[in-house]
Amino acid sequence: MIKVMEGVRVLEVAQFTFVPAAGAILADWGADVIKIEHPVRGDTQRGFLYMGGIQLDPNRHPLIEHPNRGKRSVGIDVSTADGQEVLYELAKTADVFLTNYMPQARQKNKFDVEHIRAVNPDIIYARGSAYGDKGPERLVGGFDGTAFWTRSGVGHALTPEELGGALPQGIPAFGDSIGGMNIAGGISAALFHRERTGETAEIDVSLLSTAWWAAGASVTQGMEVGETMRSTMPNAVGPTFNPFLGNYLTSDGGTINLCIVSPTGYIRDAFEHLGLPELADDPRFSDVMPLIENAAAAAEMIADSIRSKPFDYWRQHLKTMKGQWAPFQSLLDLAADEQAIANDMIVEVEAGDGGEPFKVVRGPVQFNHEPLETTRAPMASEHTELVLMELGLDWDRIEALKESGAIA
């Protein structure tokens, strides 16, 4: 497998998913990612026993595997002078310093940009935050559920107004994972810039900016015209200008999404596949402009037709339709989707508990059509001695650091 980041070392002082997810992507791409964890408790997320009300096995932990596969873990207490000295020795060998700790913690524990650049002036310093590293709320923390989902407007846009309340975020670490990819892309660009010019850079990505980029088309529309789209209830019948665009319920409660954004050239084929061939010759629907003018009537007939047969029928029958459509699937359905499997979207790694392999999700970028090869997430402090010996620390010093509590 090609390793586009081979030879790059990333020093990660971060926890939870946002920012560690960036380290996971860089590790997937071949970087040597050294994750610094507290020598006693490790990454705080290791202690999470529930996710969305579902109990987790601490030995097979999705919130550890997903953002930490492929890394090496070193236990350092960065609040101690000895621990900081070890961190600086590691920083001297690194290309990238990656963190999501708050400015207060970075200053208190002396690993803010000026401290790290003092020992390695060429290092790329990357920060992830809730709301950005500037402005009046620079010192305010936040999580995926607050900064990405709630404050950004994403949750509002995806909550139908008719509910009269707010939908909770149904996907833990949703913005965290997207934001991690953004950070990994920024680091890649900064490494390229340094290679060409010799200049280093600081990188900032926030959960708030991640959400606004993800919703950028709607945000731009809102700022331009003062109005944006919002999700509607499943059975809501609102104004439509294209009957081939929307969700339609099947006889057994499934949903088929039609997404023929531009009907030109698709009208006859679509109506034939939808069991309504006669509509292709009906002057109200046979061309784009009359179809738009009579969209509500066409949508009602399409809804009746799709509602007359079960989900699995349409899922198979529509495979030959020229226009775009998709079955409304769950995340578990996707894990068995033949197209996802064919594109190597699922990766098996050795499980930390010695049991069945742990399945993780490949990052969205694939090189040369090759499947991802990676290793499991490390146990907390699993590689401390190995990494420090690679730095040249002798055993006596390692023992002394352990006895003082600076490392684990």
Side-chain angles (χ1 to χ4, degrees):
M1 174 187 160
I2 187 172
K3 298 285 189 180
V4 296
M5 287 288 176
E6 189 169 13
V8 172
R9 172 168 282 185
V10 178
L11 184 57
E12 177 188 296
V13 183
Q15 55 181 349
F16 302 107
T17 299
F18 180 49
V19 176
I25 289 292
L26 295 170
D28 285 355
W29 295 347
D32 177 20
V33 181
I34 299 174
K35 179 181 179 68
I36 304 303
E37 300 194 60
H38 189 276
V40 177
R41 64 176 178 270
D43 185 323
T44 300
Q45 198 157 256
R46 291 185 185 274
F48 285 12
L49 298 179
Y50 292 89
M51 183 166 71
I54 300 170
Q55 188 167 0
L56 304 174
D57 180 347
N59 297 312
R60 298 179 66 89
H61 203 311
L63 283 177
I64 293 298
E65 290 296 333
H66 169 65
N68 292 297
R69 76 285 187 98
K71 301 177 185 177
R72 299 194 287 172
S73 174
V74 174
I76 300 178
D77 186 346
V78 297
S79 70
T80 67
D82 286 344
Q84 291 162 9
E85 188 57 38
V86 175
L87 185 69
Y88 298 152
E89 291 189 46
L90 282 165
K92 290 175 185 176
T93 71
D95 297 284
V96 178
F97 189 89
L98 183 58
T99 187
N100 62 359
Y101 276 83
M102 300 287 291
Q104 307 94 305
R106 300 197 304 261
Q107 283 294 317
K108 178 182 177 182
N109 297 306
K110 300 181 180 178
F111 59 84
D112 216 338
V113 61
E114 66 268 24
H115 307 111
I116 301 302
R117 287 266 176 86
V119 298
N120 185 346
D122 296 325
I123 202 166
I124 291 162
Y125 195 96
R127 290 174 293 254
S129 63
Y131 302 115
D133 200 51
K134 300 186 292 185
E137 296 185 49
R138 176 176 182 262
L139 303 182
V140 176
F143 287 98
D144 186 60
T146 55
F148 176 84
W149 180 259
T150 305
R151 183 167 178 175
S152 69
V154 168
H156 177 269
L158 296 180
T159 298
E161 187 175 3
E162 296 89 335
L163 286 181
L167 280 179
Q169 183 176 326
I171 305 176
F174 191 14
D176 290 344
S177 299
I178 301 171
M181 192 70 205
N182 294 343
I183 295 170
I187 287 170
S188 302
L191 286 167
F192 181 67
H193 178 72
R194 191 182 70 177
E195 180 72 19
R196 295 191 65 180
T197 68
E199 297 176 353
T200 189
E202 295 177 47
I203 296 167
D204 283 290
V205 175
S206 71
L207 288 168
L208 189 64
S209 66
T210 293
W212 266 39
W213 171 249
S218 290
V219 174
T220 301
Q221 173 184 316
M223 292 188 295
E224 176 67 17
V225 303
E227 189 175 1
T228 64
M229 292 173 57
R230 252 185 111 172
S231 289
T232 57
M233 298 292 282
N235 292 316
V237 179
T240 180
F241 303 98
N242 181 353
F244 300 138
L245 197 63
N247 290 324
Y248 290 93
L249 298 178
T250 64
S251 64
D252 53 355
T255 300
I256 296 296
N257 173 259
L258 299 183
C259 195
I260 306 176
V261 175
S262 178
T264 302
Y266 293 106
I267 293 175
R268 179 171 296 278
D269 180 76
F271 278 132
E272 288 175 352
H273 276 83
L274 294 170
L276 300 164
E278 68 280 4
L279 297 191
D281 295 313
D282 188 319
R284 295 175 297 165
F285 313 119
S286 58
D287 205 353
V288 173
M289 288 311 298
L291 180 69
I292 292 172
E293 293 167 359
N294 296 282
E300 185 175 345
M301 286 183 273
I302 291 171
D304 289 342
S305 182
I306 292 180
R307 197 181 294 114
S308 70
K309 292 183 172 62
F311 180 75
D312 283 342
Y313 168 83
W314 291 112
R315 185 170 184 163
Q316 294 301 318
H317 180 70
L318 294 179
K319 283 186 176 181
T320 57
M321 188 170 75
K322 295 177 183 177
Q324 298 73 32
W325 70 281
F328 197 77
Q329 296 193 145
S330 74
L331 295 174
L332 288 179
D333 292 331
L334 186 62
D337 189 302
E338 61 181 0
Q339 187 65 15
I341 294 169
N343 282 276
D344 311 301
M345 289 171 58
I346 299 169
V347 186
E348 290 190 350
V349 297
E350 172 194 1
D353 66 353
E356 290 295 313
F358 203 106
K359 293 181 178 180
V360 296
V361 177
R362 172 179 63 76
V365 178
Q366 188 174 38
F367 299 99
N368 293 342
H369 285 159
E370 296 175 337
L372 173 64
E373 296 173 8
T374 188
T375 57
R376 62 169 173 80
M379 302 295 186
S381 305
E382 180 177 347
H383 303 97
T384 302
E385 295 169 0
L386 176 63
V387 171
L388 297 188
M389 290 175 73
E390 289 175 359
L391 282 182
L393 276 67
D394 59 39
W395 191 250
D396 288 342
R397 186 178 175 198
I398 291 174
E399 282 291 326
L401 289 166
K402 282 189 172 185
E403 290 176 7
S404 72
I407 67 170

